[in-house]
Amino acid sequence: MLRLASSLLILMALFVAGCGASTSTSSATTTLTVWYSTDDPVERIWSQQLARRFEATHPNVRVQFDTLSFEDINTKLQLALNAGTPPDLAYVTPRGPGIPVYVRAHKLLDLTAAAGSSDWAHRLRPGLLAAYNQPFSHEGARPGEIVAVPTALAAVGVLYNRRLLDRLHLAVPRTLTQLSADLVRAKAAGLTPIGMGNGDGWVGDDWYLTLVNSIVPPARLAPELQGDRRFSFLRPPFLQASTMLRAWAAAGYLTPDFGGLDAQEGLVQFFKGSTLFQLISSSENAQILGLERATRLPIGVFAFPGGKKGVMPQSGYLGWVVPAAARHRAAAISFIDDLLTPSTASFLLQRGQLPAVAGAGARGAT
């Protein structure tokens, strides 16, 4: 009888323990850490909603979503990667010192299998995923390896002040010759012909690359785009573009002290109303729309002069990467997968972003 009672007590204890374990498992929560880089104060606010949208469809995941400046995230992420304590997911620049540095150090997870199983290449705009990752093969990634995924595009165009263009009796320039003549007119009128904030380097880089694309069709740059060893910046189109930029700077056509202003500060200078043209990226849309509402400055955008319809270079913007030492790889990949849905594309478009998802909001994007 004692033996039977003991057996019953043991069974009851196991049952209670089992119930406890079951309850614990069903309520277990994964904390996904995400580092998101932006220097746009407006984007800092709405980007938090990406985390809340994911949590709404993944009740067992809590997202710790931290926004950092471009400068801070590059420094902190390199330190965290070296220490083996990185976030689970990060949204970072494809330029140095971003993704290329992390690839060279072999600190990123190979996302090729995940991209294949979820068909990311076809969910993004045609050819975008491969083109975005191709340069990283020169930093140590395997040819065809996917290490980063863009969810927004950077399309480059020229912002202009309608009021000043009318005051100078000018039309939107269609050729480089017309543009150069407009710069002379603007300077003579005491205006700033070209707005620029180049403290972080990418605006000047965009000016240079856009000038190159206006001089020589991108299709003829195939050897350069494919990393041909015969490539040289001493070829005529590259020299012509750099010479033109240097001449503009020497003539005082650029924003005074442009090297001490970041891109955001450069835009603020434009909206003060004395700058004629400013090269912009669609990644700046949110700030531009906010400044337009605040100042009521009449503005327009055109493709950079060159070719029959002008030149508007387009590429993937920042990329999502998963550190190799991430604790929650599966959840991080699910987060990326969720970003490549039509609903997220619509969310991004409503906030001034140009979605990288195939066919997303073509009318709104235009």
mmCIF file of all heavy atoms in Angstrom, residues 109-144:
data_model
loop_
_atom_site.group_PDB
_atom_site.id
_atom_site.type_symbol
_atom_site.label_atom_id
_atom_site.label_comp_id
_atom_site.label_asym_id
_atom_site.label_seq_id
_atom_site.Cartn_x
_atom_site.Cartn_y
_atom_site.Cartn_z
ATOM 1 N N LEU A 109 26.706 36.291 -41.675
ATOM 2 C CA LEU A 109 26.104 35.010 -42.008
ATOM 3 C C LEU A 109 25.834 34.941 -43.510
ATOM 4 O O LEU A 109 25.392 35.914 -44.123
ATOM 5 C CB LEU A 109 24.786 34.856 -41.242
ATOM 6 C CG LEU A 109 24.051 33.515 -41.368
ATOM 7 C CD1 LEU A 109 24.864 32.405 -40.711
ATOM 8 C CD2 LEU A 109 22.672 33.618 -40.719
ATOM 9 N N ASP A 110 26.095 33.790 -44.107
ATOM 10 C CA ASP A 110 25.789 33.549 -45.511
ATOM 11 C C ASP A 110 24.277 33.343 -45.629
ATOM 12 O O ASP A 110 23.726 32.385 -45.080
ATOM 13 C CB ASP A 110 26.547 32.304 -45.993
ATOM 14 C CG ASP A 110 26.314 32.005 -47.470
ATOM 15 O OD1 ASP A 110 25.457 32.666 -48.089
ATOM 16 O OD2 ASP A 110 26.985 31.097 -47.991
ATOM 17 N N LEU A 111 23.593 34.248 -46.331
ATOM 18 C CA LEU A 111 22.138 34.204 -46.450
ATOM 19 C C LEU A 111 21.673 33.559 -47.758
ATOM 20 O O LEU A 111 20.486 33.629 -48.096
ATOM 21 C CB LEU A 111 21.570 35.624 -46.355
ATOM 22 C CG LEU A 111 21.814 36.368 -45.034
ATOM 23 C CD1 LEU A 111 21.353 37.817 -45.146
ATOM 24 C CD2 LEU A 111 21.105 35.672 -43.884
ATOM 25 N N THR A 112 22.592 32.919 -48.484
ATOM 26 C CA THR A 112 22.253 32.367 -49.798
ATOM 27 C C THR A 112 21.130 31.336 -49.709
ATOM 28 O O THR A 112 20.183 31.365 -50.506
ATOM 29 C CB THR A 112 23.490 31.731 -50.442
ATOM 30 O OG1 THR A 112 24.582 32.665 -50.422
ATOM 31 C CG2 THR A 112 23.204 31.334 -51.883
ATOM 32 N N ALA A 113 21.222 30.429 -48.752
ATOM 33 C CA ALA A 113 20.189 29.393 -48.613
ATOM 34 C C ALA A 113 18.840 30.007 -48.266
ATOM 35 O O ALA A 113 17.800 29.626 -48.820
ATOM 36 C CB ALA A 113 20.600 28.380 -47.541
ATOM 37 N N ALA A 114 18.826 30.968 -47.351
ATOM 38 C CA ALA A 114 17.576 31.625 -46.967
ATOM 39 C C ALA A 114 16.984 32.388 -48.149
ATOM 40 O O ALA A 114 15.763 32.362 -48.375
ATOM 41 C CB ALA A 114 17.820 32.579 -45.802
ATOM 42 N N ALA A 115 17.849 33.041 -48.914
ATOM 43 C CA ALA A 115 17.379 33.783 -50.087
ATOM 44 C C ALA A 115 16.752 32.840 -51.106
ATOM 45 O O ALA A 115 15.734 33.168 -51.733
ATOM 46 C CB ALA A 115 18.540 34.546 -50.724
ATOM 47 N N GLY A 116 17.342 31.664 -51.249
ATOM 48 C CA GLY A 116 16.811 30.693 -52.200
ATOM 49 C C GLY A 116 15.497 30.093 -51.759
ATOM 50 O O GLY A 116 14.543 29.998 -52.543
ATOM 51 N N SER A 117 15.405 29.693 -50.498
ATOM 52 C CA SER A 117 14.183 29.041 -50.014
ATOM 53 C C SER A 117 12.994 29.993 -49.971
ATOM 54 O O SER A 117 11.841 29.573 -50.136
ATOM 55 C CB SER A 117 14.421 28.449 -48.612
ATOM 56 O OG SER A 117 14.733 29.477 -47.686
ATOM 57 N N SER A 118 13.246 31.283 -49.765
ATOM 58 C CA SER A 118 12.153 32.265 -49.715
ATOM 59 C C SER A 118 12.025 33.064 -51.011
ATOM 60 O O SER A 118 11.201 33.984 -51.079
ATOM 61 C CB SER A 118 12.367 33.235 -48.541
ATOM 62 O OG SER A 118 12.315 32.547 -47.309
ATOM 63 N N ASP A 119 12.875 32.738 -51.994
ATOM 64 C CA ASP A 119 12.807 33.367 -53.323
ATOM 65 C C ASP A 119 12.942 34.882 -53.256
ATOM 66 O O ASP A 119 12.202 35.621 -53.912
ATOM 67 C CB ASP A 119 11.489 32.985 -54.007
ATOM 68 C CG ASP A 119 11.583 33.098 -55.528
ATOM 69 O OD1 ASP A 119 12.717 33.120 -56.047
ATOM 70 O OD2 ASP A 119 10.532 33.166 -56.187
ATOM 71 N N TRP A 120 13.890 35.365 -52.458
ATOM 72 C CA TRP A 120 14.082 36.802 -52.300
ATOM 73 C C TRP A 120 14.425 37.487 -53.619
ATOM 74 O O TRP A 120 14.005 38.624 -53.852
ATOM 75 C CB TRP A 120 15.184 37.076 -51.269
ATOM 76 C CG TRP A 120 14.778 36.767 -49.870
ATOM 77 C CD1 TRP A 120 13.524 36.505 -49.410
ATOM 78 C CD2 TRP A 120 15.639 36.689 -48.723
ATOM 79 N NE1 TRP A 120 13.540 36.266 -48.053
ATOM 80 C CE2 TRP A 120 14.817 36.376 -47.604
ATOM 81 C CE3 TRP A 120 17.000 36.842 -48.533
ATOM 82 C CZ2 TRP A 120 15.344 36.216 -46.317
ATOM 83 C CZ3 TRP A 120 17.529 36.691 -47.258
ATOM 84 C CH2 TRP A 120 16.710 36.385 -46.158
ATOM 85 N N ALA A 121 15.189 36.812 -54.480
ATOM 86 C CA ALA A 121 15.606 37.445 -55.734
ATOM 87 C C ALA A 121 14.408 37.856 -56.578
ATOM 88 O O ALA A 121 14.406 38.933 -57.188
ATOM 89 C CB ALA A 121 16.508 36.496 -56.517
ATOM 90 N N HIS A 122 13.365 37.012 -56.625
ATOM 91 C CA HIS A 122 12.194 37.327 -57.432
ATOM 92 C C HIS A 122 11.204 38.228 -56.700
ATOM 93 O O HIS A 122 10.348 38.851 -57.332
ATOM 94 C CB HIS A 122 11.500 36.037 -57.877
ATOM 95 C CG HIS A 122 12.277 35.280 -58.904
ATOM 96 N ND1 HIS A 122 13.109 34.230 -58.571
ATOM 97 C CD2 HIS A 122 12.389 35.439 -60.241
ATOM 98 C CE1 HIS A 122 13.677 33.765 -59.672
ATOM 99 N NE2 HIS A 122 13.269 34.481 -60.691
ATOM 100 N N ARG A 123 11.320 38.301 -55.399
ATOM 101 C CA ARG A 123 10.447 39.201 -54.652
ATOM 102 C C ARG A 123 10.964 40.637 -54.714
ATOM 103 O O ARG A 123 10.195 41.595 -54.543
ATOM 104 C CB ARG A 123 10.328 38.732 -53.196
ATOM 105 C CG ARG A 123 9.537 37.416 -53.089
ATOM 106 C CD ARG A 123 9.690 36.760 -51.728
ATOM 107 N NE ARG A 123 9.114 37.564 -50.666
ATOM 108 C CZ ARG A 123 9.170 37.219 -49.381
ATOM 109 N NH1 ARG A 123 9.783 36.102 -49.013
ATOM 110 N NH2 ARG A 123 8.628 37.986 -48.458
ATOM 111 N N LEU A 124 12.275 40.786 -54.971
ATOM 112 C CA LEU A 124 12.862 42.107 -55.166
ATOM 113 C C LEU A 124 12.829 42.465 -56.651
ATOM 114 O O LEU A 124 12.536 41.627 -57.497
ATOM 115 C CB LEU A 124 14.303 42.125 -54.654
ATOM 116 C CG LEU A 124 14.471 42.033 -53.143
ATOM 117 C CD1 LEU A 124 15.917 41.718 -52.786
ATOM 118 C CD2 LEU A 124 14.029 43.334 -52.474
ATOM 119 N N ARG A 125 13.134 43.700 -56.964
ATOM 120 C CA ARG A 125 13.146 44.124 -58.360
ATOM 121 C C ARG A 125 14.166 43.302 -59.150
ATOM 122 O O ARG A 125 15.190 42.882 -58.599
ATOM 123 C CB ARG A 125 13.456 45.615 -58.438
ATOM 124 C CG ARG A 125 12.424 46.434 -57.664
ATOM 125 C CD ARG A 125 12.347 47.860 -58.094
ATOM 126 N NE ARG A 125 11.364 48.577 -57.261
ATOM 127 C CZ ARG A 125 10.834 49.735 -57.583
ATOM 128 N NH1 ARG A 125 11.176 50.319 -58.716
ATOM 129 N NH2 ARG A 125 9.958 50.323 -56.785
ATOM 130 N N PRO A 126 13.896 43.040 -60.444
ATOM 131 C CA PRO A 126 14.736 42.143 -61.244
ATOM 132 C C PRO A 126 16.225 42.467 -61.173
ATOM 133 O O PRO A 126 16.643 43.597 -61.432
ATOM 134 C CB PRO A 126 14.192 42.348 -62.666
ATOM 135 C CG PRO A 126 12.763 42.737 -62.465
ATOM 136 C CD PRO A 126 12.762 43.580 -61.219
ATOM 137 N N GLY A 127 17.010 41.466 -60.795
ATOM 138 C CA GLY A 127 18.463 41.597 -60.772
ATOM 139 C C GLY A 127 19.040 42.344 -59.589
ATOM 140 O O GLY A 127 20.266 42.404 -59.422
ATOM 141 N N LEU A 128 18.177 42.924 -58.744
ATOM 142 C CA LEU A 128 18.670 43.795 -57.670
ATOM 143 C C LEU A 128 19.497 43.034 -56.631
ATOM 144 O O LEU A 128 20.576 43.497 -56.246
ATOM 145 C CB LEU A 128 17.498 44.503 -56.990
ATOM 146 C CG LEU A 128 17.873 45.384 -55.784
ATOM 147 C CD1 LEU A 128 18.782 46.521 -56.207
ATOM 148 C CD2 LEU A 128 16.614 45.932 -55.112
ATOM 149 N N LEU A 129 19.017 41.882 -56.175
ATOM 150 C CA LEU A 129 19.708 41.165 -55.104
ATOM 151 C C LEU A 129 21.114 40.752 -55.536
ATOM 152 O O LEU A 129 22.078 40.930 -54.791
ATOM 153 C CB LEU A 129 18.906 39.937 -54.678
ATOM 154 C CG LEU A 129 19.421 39.202 -53.440
ATOM 155 C CD1 LEU A 129 19.372 40.108 -52.212
ATOM 156 C CD2 LEU A 129 18.601 37.936 -53.175
ATOM 157 N N ALA A 130 21.252 40.231 -56.747
ATOM 158 C CA ALA A 130 22.564 39.815 -57.246
ATOM 159 C C ALA A 130 23.478 41.012 -57.453
ATOM 160 O O ALA A 130 24.656 40.979 -57.076
ATOM 161 C CB ALA A 130 22.400 39.036 -58.552
ATOM 162 N N ALA A 131 22.940 42.088 -58.039
ATOM 163 C CA ALA A 131 23.758 43.276 -58.292
ATOM 164 C C ALA A 131 24.226 43.918 -56.994
ATOM 165 O O ALA A 131 25.360 44.401 -56.897
ATOM 166 C CB ALA A 131 22.952 44.287 -59.116
ATOM 167 N N TYR A 132 23.361 43.917 -55.989
ATOM 168 C CA TYR A 132 23.703 44.525 -54.703
ATOM 169 C C TYR A 132 24.842 43.774 -54.027
ATOM 170 O O TYR A 132 25.727 44.382 -53.400
ATOM 171 C CB TYR A 132 22.467 44.520 -53.802
ATOM 172 C CG TYR A 132 22.590 45.352 -52.546
ATOM 173 C CD1 TYR A 132 22.352 46.718 -52.580
ATOM 174 C CD2 TYR A 132 22.939 44.777 -51.325
ATOM 175 C CE1 TYR A 132 22.452 47.493 -51.432
ATOM 176 C CE2 TYR A 132 23.042 45.541 -50.174
ATOM 177 C CZ TYR A 132 22.793 46.902 -50.233
ATOM 178 O OH TYR A 132 22.908 47.659 -49.107
ATOM 179 N N ASN A 133 24.840 42.451 -54.151
ATOM 180 C CA ASN A 133 25.842 41.624 -53.477
ATOM 181 C C ASN A 133 27.109 41.396 -54.300
ATOM 182 O O ASN A 133 28.123 40.967 -53.742
ATOM 183 C CB ASN A 133 25.232 40.273 -53.091
ATOM 184 C CG ASN A 133 24.347 40.371 -51.863
ATOM 185 O OD1 ASN A 133 24.803 40.249 -50.722
ATOM 186 N ND2 ASN A 133 23.058 40.618 -52.075
ATOM 187 N N GLN A 134 27.045 41.661 -55.605
ATOM 188 C CA GLN A 134 28.192 41.385 -56.469
ATOM 189 C C GLN A 134 29.493 42.057 -56.012
ATOM 190 O O GLN A 134 30.554 41.420 -55.990
ATOM 191 C CB GLN A 134 27.849 41.774 -57.913
ATOM 192 C CG GLN A 134 28.849 41.302 -58.960
ATOM 193 C CD GLN A 134 30.009 42.268 -59.132
ATOM 194 O OE1 GLN A 134 29.852 43.467 -58.868
ATOM 195 N NE2 GLN A 134 31.162 41.764 -59.538
ATOM 196 N N PRO A 135 29.468 43.343 -55.614
ATOM 197 C CA PRO A 135 30.736 43.975 -55.194
ATOM 198 C C PRO A 135 31.395 43.314 -53.985
ATOM 199 O O PRO A 135 32.610 43.404 -53.813
ATOM 200 C CB PRO A 135 30.314 45.418 -54.861
ATOM 201 C CG PRO A 135 29.055 45.632 -55.634
ATOM 202 C CD PRO A 135 28.358 44.310 -55.617
ATOM 203 N N PHE A 136 30.613 42.636 -53.147
ATOM 204 C CA PHE A 136 31.187 42.038 -51.940
ATOM 205 C C PHE A 136 32.076 40.833 -52.259
ATOM 206 O O PHE A 136 32.857 40.398 -51.413
ATOM 207 C CB PHE A 136 30.079 41.636 -50.961
ATOM 208 C CG PHE A 136 29.137 42.760 -50.626
ATOM 209 C CD1 PHE A 136 27.764 42.559 -50.572
ATOM 210 C CD2 PHE A 136 29.620 44.038 -50.381
ATOM 211 C CE1 PHE A 136 26.887 43.602 -50.276
ATOM 212 C CE2 PHE A 136 28.758 45.093 -50.094
ATOM 213 C CZ PHE A 136 27.391 44.870 -50.046
ATOM 214 N N SER A 137 31.967 40.315 -53.498
ATOM 215 C CA SER A 137 32.846 39.211 -53.890
ATOM 216 C C SER A 137 34.291 39.688 -53.979
ATOM 217 O O SER A 137 35.221 38.891 -53.888
ATOM 218 C CB SER A 137 32.403 38.613 -55.228
ATOM 219 O OG SER A 137 32.501 39.578 -56.270
ATOM 220 N N HIS A 138 34.485 40.989 -54.132
ATOM 221 C CA HIS A 138 35.846 41.547 -54.153
ATOM 222 C C HIS A 138 36.384 41.762 -52.741
ATOM 223 O O HIS A 138 37.548 42.138 -52.563
ATOM 224 C CB HIS A 138 35.867 42.871 -54.922
ATOM 225 C CG HIS A 138 35.337 42.774 -56.316
ATOM 226 N ND1 HIS A 138 35.926 42.000 -57.287
ATOM 227 C CD2 HIS A 138 34.237 43.320 -56.896
ATOM 228 C CE1 HIS A 138 35.232 42.088 -58.414
ATOM 229 N NE2 HIS A 138 34.201 42.883 -58.193
ATOM 230 N N GLU A 139 35.516 41.556 -51.736
ATOM 231 C CA GLU A 139 35.928 41.734 -50.340
ATOM 232 C C GLU A 139 36.080 40.404 -49.613
ATOM 233 O O GLU A 139 36.366 40.382 -48.417
ATOM 234 C CB GLU A 139 34.891 42.595 -49.596
ATOM 235 C CG GLU A 139 34.556 43.908 -50.270
ATOM 236 C CD GLU A 139 35.739 44.863 -50.338
ATOM 237 O OE1 GLU A 139 36.688 44.687 -49.551
ATOM 238 O OE2 GLU A 139 35.706 45.782 -51.177
ATOM 239 N N GLY A 140 35.864 39.300 -50.328
ATOM 240 C CA GLY A 140 36.038 37.990 -49.699
ATOM 241 C C GLY A 140 34.828 37.092 -49.732
ATOM 242 O O GLY A 140 34.915 35.911 -49.391
ATOM 243 N N ALA A 141 33.671 37.623 -50.130
ATOM 244 C CA ALA A 141 32.479 36.776 -50.262
ATOM 245 C C ALA A 141 32.637 35.894 -51.499
ATOM 246 O O ALA A 141 33.312 36.265 -52.464
ATOM 247 C CB ALA A 141 31.230 37.633 -50.388
ATOM 248 N N ARG A 142 32.000 34.730 -51.473
ATOM 249 C CA ARG A 142 32.043 33.845 -52.625
ATOM 250 C C ARG A 142 31.226 34.446 -53.772
ATOM 251 O O ARG A 142 30.221 35.120 -53.527
ATOM 252 C CB ARG A 142 31.471 32.474 -52.274
ATOM 253 C CG ARG A 142 32.293 31.657 -51.296
ATOM 254 C CD ARG A 142 31.628 30.324 -50.990
ATOM 255 N NE ARG A 142 30.374 30.481 -50.252
ATOM 256 C CZ ARG A 142 29.178 30.423 -50.809
ATOM 257 N NH1 ARG A 142 29.039 30.215 -52.123
ATOM 258 N NH2 ARG A 142 28.083 30.555 -50.073
ATOM 259 N N PRO A 143 31.614 34.220 -55.024
ATOM 260 C CA PRO A 143 30.799 34.702 -56.147
ATOM 261 C C PRO A 143 29.377 34.146 -56.039
ATOM 262 O O PRO A 143 29.180 32.948 -55.862
ATOM 263 C CB PRO A 143 31.523 34.132 -57.373
ATOM 264 C CG PRO A 143 32.948 34.001 -56.929
ATOM 265 C CD PRO A 143 32.865 33.584 -55.481
ATOM 266 N N GLY A 144 28.401 35.019 -56.097
ATOM 267 C CA GLY A 144 27.004 34.607 -55.989
ATOM 268 C C GLY A 144 26.485 34.516 -54.570
ATOM 269 O O GLY A 144 25.285 34.292 -54.356
#
